[in-house]
Amino acid sequence: MADDLNDVTDTDDDEVSESSEALIAVHWTDEGYYPPSAAFVAQANASDPAIRREFTEDRFPDSFTAYADLLTWFKTWDTVLDTSNAPFWKWFVGGELNASYNCVDRHLADKANKAALIWVPEPEGETHQAITYRELYVRVNEFAAVLKDLGLKAGDRITFHMPMVPELPVAMLAAARLGIVHSQVFAGFSGTAAGHRIADSGSTVLVTVDGYYRSGELLDHKVKADEAVEAAAKEGQQVDKVLVFRRYPGQYSAKTPMVDGRDVFVDDLLAAHKGEIVEPVSLQATDPLFLMYTSGTTGRPKGCQHSIGGYLSYVAGTSKYYQDIHPDDTYWCMADIGWITGHSYIVYGPLALGTTSVLYEGTPNYPDAGRPWRIATQLGVNIFHTSPTAIRMLRKVGPDEPAKYPYHFKHMTTVGEPIEPEVWRWYYESVGKGEAVIVDTWWQTETGGFLGSTLPGIDPAKPGSCGPAALGILPVILDEDGNEVPAGSGKAGNIVIRNPWPGVFQTIWGQPERFVSTYYAKYNKDPKSTDWHDWPYFAGDGATEAADGYFRILGRVDDVINVAGHRLGTKELESVALTVNEVAEAAAVPVVDDVRGRVVEMYIALKPGFTASPEIEAKVTDAIVKDIGKIARPKNIWIVPDMPKTRSGKIMRRVIAATSNFTDTGDITTLANPEIVEKIRQQVQSAKHAKGEVPRELSEAELNEIKSFGSE
């Protein structure tokens, strides 16, 4: 769509003068409230507002012992929080426990025959696999015996490159039983990416599977193990053993051959340890439990190191009060264990509370968009947890599917990125059938668990806002100079957390200087201080706080588009586009412009049944101009057949940003649909050439900006 080349003079002078590098423009209107039902409040784990008084600043840090008390400790801690080596916080110092014991062993007394995990294979003809706590105990012990027999011990690292199969949580809990630090790499990542993480962590053992299903295809996953070992070797790290689980017992599902002397089938090893019991090792609360490498970064991987005691207590507490998990619930987090969400809210949090956690192997819309709702109906799921990415996708391909199935959720979660109000309302009305409460959670890989969310039995939800701070969390919004941005001001800045909390990561593995410089140096005024007040945590997200104390997260502070000095949050632009009925997905990207620095281009994918037209383009433009202002008018709107997406379903904004700027799209081999990139490139760049838009030679800084746009 042609732009009428508005310049800065078309905007209100006061609007421009208020914007600066320190503030992100905010134009969203406030939304209404959705209170919990009386029935939900009556059964909620937290229904009395007085709980917040237990977590006020004057009770910090002792308030978090309430979370630690949800666990079984072999030895009680001596010190709740040690700040002597700030900001390398140590929680529950002197305490000893074991994560595997807390997630498995202690439930045998009263839950031995209760399902701990229910695994749903992607092929609908295959039987669901229910694993009781007793069966999980046996499997975890036997695999722990395998690891022990390989000579692995507490403090060693082990890498898993595994999909959503039950062997993954079994392997995690077996490693935790021995104090082996595990690093799970998302199965959709390349073997090379896994190899980098192996090298960084110093792992000598890789655990993988031969194959798994994705969108109806049985993928050869073993091939990535060979790539991983080779990539690790190039960085000087030798992998001694590759342990291969088989998707089908006794049947090898990969075409890639096993390597003699290095590769071994796990079931062959298990045969020698049948029924063996390995006592859980009593570990320090401050010992590491796992490494989780953040995605989308360039250069050396960033391994977030999480502790046993602090992390496990925090995910148990937040699972209880924010997920409202009870032992008799059937809980389904439709995410991947390869991300922090899966670690915290598929494995460790739910199992610590003794509930039933569902694992689904495949693609949510395979073989059709009704699959999640059939699973929910078949298993009696009453708590559902997924990402805005998945919600938008299901809204796009099957908006009417939820109404066809008689499931009933009491509670739903959204996690991973800000959710647009329009998408939130579909989630509430169609998926939740107007019955379920929604918690819109804000947190990060680094934080271990939720930082911002409504307490579902107490607070009303508000579309587009994650809610107030989580219990015991003390956030504030600061500008670039460290000045507080007042609540209700309508202005945004950088959201930071003033205090430590048990779930926060301990360090970046092997990179303590990077840990400090990335997350704490920005607002620290005294590097020698041991007072936690002097070390606010910089989350890297832009946010605004309403007068009611609810926070709205605007996305990464690097994911803003600076148009003539006016910083526009991409989430706001995309949210407005999604209010247009025909639009299913939207992505805003920056284009380098000689006059205004950057201009906005929008990529749009439509719902089924709609065809691209100038009228739809006009609707999107009009909505953005009306809701945000002329300064945000897109230079071009591209209606594309699909967005380039990762295997986890996230739109790869750097790819389309590169397309709009006539630069190299970079590596697209890890995309779920790499073929779409060339179609988009031909569509967009040929249209630009036809309109006389000549490619501009970008500076190195501009190239780096486009290359990293949308990275996490």
Side-chain angles (χ1 to χ4, degrees), residues 7-21 23 25 27 562-567 630-631:
D7 58 30
V8 170
T9 59
D10 286 334
T11 65
D12 295 333
D13 290 340
D14 60 343
E15 184 180 45
V16 173
S17 65
E18 287 179 2
S19 69
S20 74
E21 287 303 312
L23 297 175
H27 306 83
N562 192 338
V563 179
H566 202 71
R567 302 181 80 220
K630 292 181 181 179
I631 192 71

Side-chain angles (χ1 to χ4, degrees), residues 191-214:
T192 300
H196 292 325
R197 287 151 176 79
I198 289 169
D200 189 76
S201 65
S203 298
T204 58
V205 175
L206 171 64
V207 184
T208 188
V209 297
D210 55 356
Y212 68 102
Y213 281 96
R214 195 77 185 172

Side-chain angles (χ1 to χ4, degrees), residues 157-181:
R157 279 80 61 204
I158 188 170
T159 297
F160 306 142
H161 192 198
M162 298 181 68
M164 287 291 287
V165 291
E167 289 79 8
L168 175 52
V170 166
M172 291 166 65
L173 293 165
R177 195 169 194 83
L178 296 169
I180 302 165
V181 182

Side-chain angles (χ1 to χ4, degrees), residues 598-675:
R598 304 292 181 272
V599 292
V600 175
E601 289 196 351
M602 297 292 303
Y603 285 73
I604 300 296
L606 304 179
K607 295 176 183 174
F610 293 104
T611 304
S613 69
E615 290 74 22
I616 295 176
E617 294 177 9
K619 283 185 180 182
V620 174
T621 296
D622 291 346
I624 289 172
V625 170
K626 178 182 177 182
D627 283 23
I628 299 179
K630 292 181 181 179
I631 192 71
R633 182 194 295 271
K635 181 176 183 179
N636 291 297
I637 291 177
W638 308 109
I639 300 178
V640 295
D642 195 9
M643 302 283 192
K645 293 171 187 167
T646 66
R647 290 278 298 284
S648 62
K650 287 200 173 185
I651 297 170
M652 285 292 279
R653 287 167 176 80
R654 69 162 177 82
V655 172
I656 50 180
T659 299
S660 281
N661 286 277
F662 292 93
T663 65
D664 182 16
T665 55
D667 180 19
I668 60 172
T669 58
T670 59
L671 292 181
N673 55 347
E675 71 286 346

Side-chain angles (χ1 to χ4, degrees), residues 677-692:
V677 175
E678 180 59 21
K679 292 179 182 178
I680 292 174
R681 190 191 68 79
Q682 290 184 4
Q683 173 189 339
V684 169
Q685 294 183 359
S686 61
K688 286 192 172 209
H689 282 301
K691 290 160 62 173

